[in-house]
Coordinates of all heavy atoms in Angstrom, one line a residue:
W1 N 0.8 -1.2 0.0 CA 0.0 0.0 0.0 C 0.9 1.3 0.0 O 0.6 2.2 -0.8 CB -1.0 0.0 1.2 CG -1.7 1.3 1.2 CD1 -1.6 2.4 2.0 CD2 -2.8 1.6 0.3 NE1 -2.5 3.4 1.7 CE2 -3.3 2.9 0.7 CE3 -3.5 0.9 -0.7 CZ2 -4.3 3.6 0.0 CZ3 -4.5 1.6 -1.4 CH2 -4.9 2.9 -1.0
V2 N 1.9 1.3 0.9 CA 2.7 2.5 0.9 C 3.4 2.7 -0.4 O 3.4 3.9 -0.9 CB 3.8 2.3 2.0 CG1 4.9 3.4 2.0 CG2 3.2 2.3 3.4
L3 N 3.9 1.7 -1.0 CA 4.5 1.9 -2.3 C 3.5 2.3 -3.4 O 3.8 3.2 -4.2 CB 5.2 0.5 -2.8 CG 6.2 0.6 -3.9 CD1 7.4 1.4 -3.5 CD2 6.6 -0.8 -4.3
G4 N 2.3 1.8 -3.3 CA 1.3 2.1 -4.3 C 0.9 3.6 -4.2 O 0.4 4.1 -5.3
T5 N 1.1 4.2 -3.1 CA 0.7 5.7 -3.1 C 1.6 6.5 -3.9 O 1.2 7.7 -4.2 CB 0.7 6.2 -1.6 OG1 2.1 6.1 -1.1 CG2 -0.2 5.4 -0.7
L6 N 2.7 6.0 -4.4 CA 3.6 6.7 -5.2 C 3.6 6.3 -6.7 O 4.3 6.8 -7.5 CB 5.0 6.6 -4.7 CG 5.3 7.2 -3.3 CD1 6.6 6.7 -2.8 CD2 5.3 8.7 -3.4
V7 N 2.9 5.2 -7.0 CA 2.9 4.6 -8.3 C 2.0 5.4 -9.3 O 0.8 5.5 -9.1 CB 2.5 3.2 -8.3 CG1 2.3 2.6 -9.7 CG2 3.5 2.3 -7.5
P8 N 2.6 5.9 -10.5 CA 1.8 6.6 -11.5 C 0.9 5.6 -12.2 O 1.3 4.5 -12.5 CB 2.9 7.1 -12.4 CG 4.2 7.1 -11.7 CD 4.1 5.9 -10.8
M9 N -0.3 6.0 -12.4 CA -1.3 5.2 -13.1 C -0.8 4.8 -14.5 O -1.1 3.7 -15.0 CB -2.6 5.9 -13.2 CG -3.4 6.0 -11.9 SD -4.2 4.5 -11.4 CE -5.6 4.5 -12.6
G10 N -0.1 5.7 -15.1 CA 0.4 5.5 -16.5 C 1.3 4.3 -16.6 O 1.3 3.5 -17.6
N11 N 2.1 4.1 -15.5 CA 3.0 2.9 -15.5 C 2.1 1.6 -15.5 O 2.4 0.7 -16.3 CB 3.8 2.8 -14.2 CG 5.0 3.8 -14.2 OD1 5.6 4.0 -13.2 ND2 5.2 4.5 -15.3
L12 N 1.1 1.5 -14.7 CA 0.3 0.3 -14.6 C -0.5 0.1 -15.9 O -0.7 -1.0 -16.4 CB -0.7 0.4 -13.4 CG 0.0 0.6 -12.1 CD1 -1.0 0.6 -11.0 CD2 1.0 -0.6 -11.8
E13 N -0.9 1.2 -16.6 CA -1.7 1.0 -17.8 C -0.9 0.5 -18.9 O -1.4 -0.1 -19.9 CB -2.3 2.4 -18.2 CG -3.4 2.8 -17.2 CD -3.8 4.3 -17.4 OE1 -3.1 5.0 -18.1 OE2 -4.9 4.7 -16.9
R14 N 0.4 0.7 -18.9 CA 1.3 0.2 -20.0 C 2.1 -1.0 -19.6 O 2.9 -1.5 -20.3 CB 2.2 1.3 -20.5 CG 3.2 1.8 -19.6 CD 3.9 3.0 -20.2 NE 4.9 3.6 -19.3 CZ 6.2 3.2 -19.2 NH1 6.6 2.2 -19.9 NH2 7.0 3.8 -18.3
A15 N 1.8 -1.6 -18.5 CA 2.4 -2.8 -18.0 C 2.1 -4.0 -19.0 O 1.0 -4.2 -19.4 CB 2.0 -3.2 -16.6
H16 N 3.1 -4.7 -19.4 CA 2.9 -5.7 -20.5 C 1.9 -6.8 -20.0 O 1.1 -7.3 -20.8 CB 4.3 -6.4 -20.8 CG 5.3 -5.5 -21.4 ND1 4.9 -4.5 -22.3 CD2 6.6 -5.5 -21.3 CE1 6.0 -3.9 -22.7 NE2 7.1 -4.5 -22.1
S17 N 2.0 -7.2 -18.7 CA 1.1 -8.3 -18.2 C -0.3 -7.8 -18.3 O -1.2 -8.6 -18.7 CB 1.5 -8.6 -16.8 OG 1.4 -7.5 -16.0
Y18 N -0.6 -6.6 -18.0 CA -2.0 -6.1 -18.0 C -2.5 -6.0 -19.5 O -3.6 -6.5 -19.8 CB -2.0 -4.7 -17.3 CG -3.3 -4.0 -17.4 CD1 -4.4 -4.5 -16.7 CD2 -3.4 -2.8 -18.1 CE1 -5.6 -3.8 -16.8 CE2 -4.6 -2.1 -18.2 CZ -5.7 -2.6 -17.5 OH -6.9 -2.0 -17.6
K19 N -1.6 -5.4 -20.3 CA -2.1 -5.2 -21.7 C -2.3 -6.6 -22.4 O -3.2 -6.7 -23.2 CB -1.0 -4.4 -22.5 CG -1.0 -2.9 -22.0 CD 0.2 -2.2 -22.5 CE 0.2 -2.0 -24.0 NZ 1.3 -1.2 -24.5
D20 N -1.3 -7.5 -22.1 CA -1.4 -8.8 -22.8 C -2.7 -9.6 -22.4 O -3.4 -10.1 -23.2 CB -0.2 -9.6 -22.4 CG -0.2 -11.1 -22.9 OD1 -0.3 -11.2 -24.2 OD2 -0.2 -12.0 -22.1
K21 N -3.0 -9.6 -21.1 CA -4.1 -10.3 -20.6 C -5.4 -9.7 -21.0 O -6.4 -10.4 -21.3 CB -4.0 -10.5 -19.1 CG -2.9 -11.5 -18.7 CD -2.7 -11.7 -17.2 CE -1.6 -12.6 -17.0 NZ -1.3 -12.8 -15.5
K22 N -5.5 -8.4 -21.0 CA -6.6 -7.7 -21.5 C -6.9 -8.0 -23.0 O -8.0 -8.3 -23.4 CB -6.5 -6.2 -21.4 CG -7.0 -5.6 -20.1 CD -7.1 -4.1 -20.2 CE -8.3 -3.7 -21.1 NZ -8.5 -2.2 -21.1
A23 N -5.8 -8.1 -23.8 CA -5.9 -8.4 -25.2 C -6.4 -9.8 -25.4 O -7.1 -10.1 -26.4 CB -4.5 -8.2 -25.9
R24 N -6.2 -10.7 -24.5 CA -6.7 -12.1 -24.6 C -8.0 -12.2 -23.9 O -8.5 -13.4 -23.8 CB -5.7 -13.0 -23.9 CG -4.4 -13.1 -24.7 CD -3.5 -14.3 -24.3 NE -2.8 -14.1 -23.1 CZ -2.9 -14.8 -22.0 NH1 -3.8 -15.8 -21.9 NH2 -2.2 -14.6 -20.9
G25 N -8.7 -11.1 -23.5 CA -10.0 -11.2 -23.0 C -10.2 -11.5 -21.6 O -11.3 -11.8 -21.1
L26 N -9.1 -11.5 -20.8 CA -9.2 -11.8 -19.4 C -9.7 -10.6 -18.6 O -9.6 -9.5 -19.1 CB -7.8 -12.2 -18.8 CG -7.2 -13.5 -19.4 CD1 -5.8 -13.7 -18.9 CD2 -8.1 -14.7 -19.1
P27 N -10.4 -10.8 -17.5 CA -11.0 -9.7 -16.8 C -10.0 -8.7 -16.3 O -8.9 -9.0 -15.8 CB -11.7 -10.4 -15.5 CG -11.8 -11.8 -15.9 CD -10.7 -12.1 -16.9
A28 N -10.3 -7.4 -16.5 CA -9.4 -6.3 -16.2 C -9.7 -5.9 -14.8 O -10.2 -4.7 -14.6 CB -9.5 -5.2 -17.2
D29 N -9.5 -6.7 -13.8 CA -9.8 -6.3 -12.4 C -8.6 -5.7 -11.7 O -7.5 -5.6 -12.3 CB -10.3 -7.5 -11.6 CG -9.4 -8.7 -11.7 OD1 -8.2 -8.5 -11.9 OD2 -9.8 -9.9 -11.5
F30 N -8.8 -5.2 -10.5 CA -7.8 -4.5 -9.8 C -6.5 -5.4 -9.5 O -5.4 -4.9 -9.6 CB -8.3 -4.0 -8.4 CG -7.3 -3.4 -7.5 CD1 -6.8 -2.1 -7.7 CD2 -6.7 -4.2 -6.5 CE1 -5.8 -1.6 -6.9 CE2 -5.7 -3.6 -5.7 CZ -5.3 -2.3 -5.9
G31 N -6.7 -6.7 -9.2 CA -5.6 -7.5 -9.0 C -4.7 -7.6 -10.1 O -3.4 -7.6 -10.0

């Protein structure tokens, strides 16, 4: 949580794991 308070949203939006799984139709949940 402490680390997350400093994390830019843009970093997470361009993370390969997130983009790849979204492209394969997996649920785009918080986890």
Side-chain angles (χ1 to χ4, degrees):
W1 178 256
V2 169
L3 196 62
T5 63
L6 294 167
V7 171
M9 290 283 286
N11 285 173
L12 301 181
E13 288 169 347
R14 63 186 178 87
H16 295 325
S17 60
Y18 175 68
K19 291 169 66 177
D20 174 62
K21 290 178 181 177
K22 266 194 73 176
R24 291 195 281 120
L26 295 175
D29 53 27
F30 173 78

